[in-house]
Amino acid sequence: MDDVRHISSAVVIAFPHRCAEVAARLEALPDTEVHYVQDGKIVIVLEGASTGEVGSRLAAIGLMDGVLAANLVFEQIDIQDDPGAVP
């Protein structure tokens, strides 16, 4: 059985004076990492088992208080073969 992971990056635009607060809330989300914060722009990486899971989380981020926009930039689907499987 293959293990599928969807890895996506996104840019979140927040009110500059609330950027640190929004970044802290993003860091608290599961499978979400904050990689860059400056002048209202936050770059994040999201991981999930499906496009729907990642998309739902990004949609929820877009509705967070203090967030102006959340836009997907890149998505990669990583399929890892079961290391215990016999070829």
Side-chain angles (χ1 to χ4, degrees):
M1 184 171 181
D2 293 331
D3 182 27
V4 178
R5 292 299 289 170
H6 292 254
I7 304 166
S8 301
S9 62
V11 175
V12 178
I13 308 298
F15 289 105
H17 66 281
R18 301 197 57 197
C19 202
E21 168 198 341
V22 169
R25 280 189 277 145
L26 293 171
E27 271 294 338
L29 294 175
D31 295 322
T32 305
E33 297 176 9
V34 174
H35 286 273
Y36 179 82
V37 180
Q38 185 176 353
D39 300 327
K41 296 178 186 86
I42 306 168
V43 176
I44 61 173
V45 172
L46 307 118
E47 291 188 42
S50 69
T51 300
E53 180 183 333
V54 171
S56 293
R57 192 171 335 128
L58 189 60
I61 290 168
L63 296 173
M64 282 183 173
D65 192 36
V67 172
L68 298 169
N71 298 297
L72 187 68
V73 175
F74 176 80
E75 180 177 19
Q76 176 177 330
I77 301 170
D78 186 22
I79 301 172
Q80 298 180 346
D81 293 330
D82 182 355
V86 178

